[in-house]
Amino acid sequence: MNLEHVTARLRPRHPWEAVDLGVALFQRHFGLLVRTWAITVLPVVAILWALTGGGAFALPLLLFWFKPVLERVPVFVLGRALFASPPTLGAVAKALPRLWGRYLFVGLFAHRLNPARGILTPVVVLEGVHGKTLRERQRLIAQDHGGKASFVAFAGAHFESFVALLLHGLIWMLVPDDFLPTIDFDDWERMLASVGAYQHVSNAIFVVTYSLNGLLHASCGFALYIDRRAHLEGWDLEVAFRRLAHEVEARRPTRSRATTTVAKAVLALVTCGALWCVGSAHAQEAAPTKPEIRAAVDEVLAGDDFGGTAKERDWVWNDDAPEKKAATPTGEGRELDPRAFSGLPNGSRARSTTGTSVATIATWTLFVVVLAVVLGLSIRRWRELRRLREPTQAPALDVMGLDLRPESIPDDVPSAALAAFDAGDLEAALSLLYRATLSRLVAGDGLHLEPGDTEGDCSRRVRDVVDAPRSAAFDALTNARITVAYAHRAISREAFVTLCEAFATHFPMRSAT
């Protein structure tokens, strides 16, 4: 591992900044990650699909269980790509037996049950340690960043479910109803029998979201692992010292071998003379005793510059936390060194915190809004499908006090309505025309009305079962009825004749077959 060839800046980061680095690595090497995933993981998916027959539960369960092992491939790719040596597809295929075979049961059981596996997988793939050393190394790596890795896995699961829900909703909105399964919770056998080929579509959506989340989760876990090692091993300091050494070496003037030999000889003579003088001076002094040396060492160690630091973790109850905090020395009475903050502009910390809070609030608000829209559309679609597939019920024949029985409607509705209009009974004429229209829609078009429906409810129901011209004709008739019945305003005979002609055109009597 050559730190000088690294393609990212190695420095201690905040864990969430390390997650951002993982997303950046995912974006930079997206093509390579997808290609290696396609030639290594997708064949496994195809084999499992064939063995399970594309079962709606068996295939997702097996892929879910194998995920910690399958994610070793993108970790291997990113480990090489970060140090400017991205592997070829042949190199990945050659390393595949070692990647999947090494500690296979650890990946299938210990890592599968550990939500922080994203930061533990790179230890198995990249470090090559075994046994007790491996366990201690994983414990050390996950000490500070394990909780963040668990949250990344938790967020990734929600991201995967959300994208799958969006894709399902898109299919249900765009695909004709004849190709979709029947949603009828009152008849489970019929609903399960209608799933049929749609379970393969559902499995395909799962594989897409599973692959996307797997690559993203492996990238973020790898970035957390790199950040943890940068904290532990001081990679940023090592890189800085190496670069400084190269700069000094480059600026050093070239000298001949003779000049260098003479300089070394002169330096050796001067050093010997100095040591002889110092030795003669110290020989005249009395050597310090062992207690004096010990006292001097204790005095130095008791100073503020020494004393050591230790980090401990413990579980405490909320009620005991203030007492423990009060009992811990906090360095009261010490003043903060203003030089520690000399590189920060005034208010930068507050602006950073405020910006992060605003971004978080905006992200969650957008997530809730999109989720509410998707759920609303899904519920509306489900209700429409349920209403279309529910068993045929006897239609309501008495709505708003109107008798909708076909035998109560005259054969020549336009003539009867015009006769009532010419007799001066405009409300009765419109009522007959409106009642006959509803009756023929119920009998001929399967319009389902409820006894408590109003004119607005009837218009909405009619729009769901007829085309736009017929719906517009019914709306015009409804508006005329409301104008006469509730606003008590008359309409002209020409307007009424137009309504009668529209009735004869769009709602004719259908002959019995």
Side-chain angles (χ1 to χ4, degrees):
M1 181 177 62
N2 193 345
L3 296 179
E4 298 176 359
H5 295 163
V6 69
T7 58
R9 184 180 177 187
L10 294 181
R11 60 176 177 82
R13 290 176 166 87
H14 189 276
W16 297 126
E17 190 180 358
V19 173
D20 289 339
L21 174 62
V23 176
L25 292 174
F26 170 77
Q27 294 174 343
R28 175 183 296 180
H29 305 289
F30 180 77
L32 180 59
L33 290 173
V34 171
R35 290 194 298 271
T36 54
W37 185 272
I39 68 169
T40 58
V41 176
L42 291 188
V44 177
V45 174
I47 294 173
L48 294 178
W49 197 316
L51 293 177
T52 60
F57 301 102
L59 178 63
L61 179 61
L62 289 176
L63 291 178
F64 168 80
W65 202 262
F66 290 154
K67 193 172 185 179
V69 177
L70 300 180
E71 286 181 353
R72 294 179 180 180
V73 174
V75 170
F76 173 77
V77 172
L78 291 174
R80 297 288 187 86
L82 182 64
F83 295 96
S85 59
T88 61
L89 299 182
V92 175
K94 186 177 180 180
L96 202 58
R98 178 178 60 84
L99 292 177
W100 286 350
R102 189 168 185 268
Y103 287 101
L104 177 62
F105 291 100
V106 172
L108 294 179
F109 294 98
H111 287 181
R112 176 64 275 177
L113 302 177
N114 191 342
R117 67 181 184 277
I119 199 174
L120 303 179
T121 301
V123 180
V124 177
V125 175
L126 303 176
E127 297 195 8
V129 293
H130 304 275
K132 183 179 179 181
T133 305
L134 174 63
R135 293 191 296 270
E136 293 178 351
R137 184 64 176 171
Q138 288 183 336
R139 190 180 303 111
L140 177 63
I141 292 295
Q143 184 175 7
D144 280 345
H145 290 20
K148 306 301 185 298
S150 301
F151 188 85
V152 168
F154 178 77
H158 283 73
F159 168 75
E160 181 178 342
S161 302
F162 183 68
V163 174
L165 179 62
L166 288 179
L167 294 178
H168 279 290
L170 184 64
I171 291 176
W172 278 76
M173 287 189 291
L174 298 180
V175 175
D177 295 342
D178 298 338
F179 299 95
L180 295 175
T182 302
I183 304 298
D184 187 1
F185 293 102
D186 297 330
D187 190 353
W188 281 88
E189 294 182 359
R190 178 189 175 196
M191 183 172 65
L192 294 177
S194 66
V195 171
Y198 189 77
Q199 71 178 8
H200 297 290
V201 177
S202 178
N203 287 337
I205 292 176
F206 174 77
V207 170
V208 171
T209 56
Y210 172 88
S211 302
L212 183 62
N213 180 42
L215 295 175
L216 188 59
H217 177 260
S219 302
C220 294
F222 173 76
L224 286 171
Y225 163 80
I226 291 296
D227 181 66
R228 179 59 176 158
R229 288 196 62 176
H231 279 85
L232 293 174
E233 302 173 22
W235 280 355
D236 55 333
L237 298 178
E238 183 176 352
V239 171
F241 282 128
R242 288 187 180 184
R243 292 176 179 174
L244 182 61
H246 288 320
E247 292 179 2
V248 172
E249 186 69 24
R251 295 177 182 177
R252 181 179 299 173
T254 59
R255 299 173 180 175
S256 63
R257 177 176 297 182
T259 304
T260 304
T261 304
V262 172
K264 290 181 178 179
V266 173
L267 180 62
L269 292 175
V270 172
T271 304
C272 292
L275 291 177
W276 181 79
C277 295
V278 172
S280 299
H282 282 283
Q284 300 175 0
E285 299 178 359
T289 62
K290 187 174 181 180
E292 293 176 347
I293 295 175
R294 185 62 186 173
V297 171
D298 292 339
E299 182 180 357
V300 172
L301 294 179
D304 295 336
D305 296 333
F306 294 91
T309 59
K311 182 183 291 186
E312 296 183 359
R313 288 191 175 189
D314 194 7
W315 294 90
V316 296
W317 295 102
N318 290 335
D319 296 338
D320 299 337
E323 299 178 1
K324 184 174 182 179
K325 184 177 180 181
T328 303
T330 59
E332 295 181 358
R334 296 182 181 178
E335 296 182 356
L336 293 177
D337 187 358
R339 293 175 297 175
F341 304 97
S342 59
L344 296 177
N346 293 333
S348 62
R349 186 182 300 272
R351 286 195 298 269
S352 176
T353 304
T354 304
T356 303
S357 302
V358 172
T360 303
I361 294 173
T363 301
W364 281 106
T365 302
L366 180 60
F367 176 82
V368 172
V369 170
V370 173
L371 182 61
V373 171
V374 172
L375 290 178
L377 293 176
S378 301
I379 293 174
R380 180 180 178 182
R381 182 67 175 175
W382 173 75
R383 288 178 176 175
E384 292 176 359
L385 293 174
R386 181 179 175 85
R387 183 172 64 253
L388 293 176
R389 291 180 172 87
E390 64 185 0
T392 304
Q393 301 178 357
L397 299 178
D398 187 1
V399 178
M400 296 179 290
L402 302 177
D403 187 2
L404 304 183
R405 293 175 302 161
E407 57 270 16
S408 66
I409 307 299
D411 295 336
D412 191 357
V413 174
S415 299
L418 282 172
F421 185 88
D422 293 336
D425 195 352
L426 179 58
E427 186 172 349
L430 282 171
S431 178
L432 173 60
L433 206 59
Y434 187 78
R435 183 164 60 91
T437 302
L438 288 177
S439 177
R440 293 186 180 180
L441 286 173
V442 169
D445 296 277
L447 177 63
H448 181 79
L449 298 176
E450 298 292 340
D453 284 347
T454 62
E455 286 86 352
D457 296 329
C458 293
S459 296
R460 285 191 292 271
R461 294 183 186 276
V462 169
R463 282 194 291 270
D464 292 336
V465 297
V466 301
D467 54 15
R470 300 179 72 193
S471 176
F474 182 79
D475 289 340
L477 178 59
T478 302
N479 293 333
R481 169 181 163 79
I482 293 174
T483 300
V484 173
Y486 302 118
H488 303 289
R489 291 186 298 176
I491 62 174
S492 63
R493 193 176 191 280
E494 290 78 6
F496 187 78
V497 170
T498 302
L499 293 176
C500 291
E501 293 175 352
F503 173 84
T505 302
H506 297 290
F507 309 104
M509 180 181 293
R510 299 184 179 180
S511 59
T513 57

